[in-house]
Amino acid sequence: MFSLGTMQPRQILTQVLNFALILSTAFMLWKGLSVATDSPSPIVVVLSGSMEPAFQRGDILLLWNRGMDTKIGEVVVYNVKGKDIPIVHRVVRRFGGGDKPLKLLTKGDNNLSDDTELYARGQAYLERSKDVIGSVVGYIPFVGYVTILLSEHPWLKTVMLGLMGVMVVIQRE
C-alpha cells in the first residue's frame, strides 16, 4: 500500500505544485473566457425548469456579451440586484435603444407571466448594459448537473475536493 510517509519531500512538493498549476490554469482559462466574451460569467448552468423545453435543468449555457443590441426572442442571462443567482429567460419586449438605454422585459418559456416579480423592488425592466450578463449562443445538455448536485449537497464538494487533492498528492509520475 502506498502512503504519504514514503514520499520524499521533493516528490510531495512536486505534487502540490502540480495541483496548484491545475487550479491556476483553470482560473486563467475562466478569466480568459470572461475577457473574450465580455461577460463576468461566460458559462452558466440552468438551475430551474423555467426555460423548458428550450433548456433543461443542468444544461450548460455559453454566453456572449459583445453585442448590446438584444432582439425580442433572444435568451439572456441576467442578475437581479440583491440576488446572487443569475436568471436565464427570453426577451419578450424591448424599449429604447439607439440614443436611449436599451430596456428589456423577460419571461421564462415555462412561466405564465413575465419576470417583473423577479426584478428588484421598483424595477419594471432590465437595463441591458447594467443587468444582463450575456446572451446565450450555445449550450451543452445536462453536463452541468454535477454543479446542481454539489450545490444541493454541500458535503459532496468536500468529498470531491478531498479526493482530487489526495489523488494529486499520491499520484506517481
Side-chain angles (χ1 to χ4, degrees), residues 159-171:
V159 170
M160 194 173 189
L161 285 172
L163 285 174
M164 287 180 3
V166 168
M167 292 303 288
V168 167
V169 170
I170 66 172
Q171 174 189 4

Side-chain angles (χ1 to χ4, degrees), residues 85-121:
I85 299 173
I87 299 172
V88 181
H89 283 172
R90 192 176 305 277
V91 175
V92 293
R93 184 173 284 156
R94 55 179 268 154
F95 309 94
D99 295 340
K100 298 178 182 177
L102 181 58
K103 299 173 183 177
L104 307 171
L105 180 64
T106 57
K107 176 185 173 295
D109 290 356
N110 203 20
N111 293 350
L112 297 176
S113 61
D114 62 38
D115 292 348
T116 50
E117 295 293 322
L118 298 175
Y119 300 159
R121 172 167 270 152

Side-chain angles (χ1 to χ4, degrees), residues 47-91:
L47 299 175
S48 75
S50 67
M51 281 302 292
E52 290 178 0
F55 301 114
Q56 306 294 320
R57 191 167 189 250
D59 289 354
I60 289 184
L61 304 179
L62 310 171
L63 305 183
W64 185 259
N65 201 32
R66 292 268 175 208
M68 289 294 185
D69 187 31
T70 304
K71 307 279 188 237
I72 292 176
E74 196 170 321
V75 178
V76 296
V77 177
Y78 64 90
N79 274 332
V80 175
K81 293 175 188 94
K83 297 182 182 173
D84 293 337
I85 299 173
I87 299 172
V88 181
H89 283 172
R90 192 176 305 277
V91 175

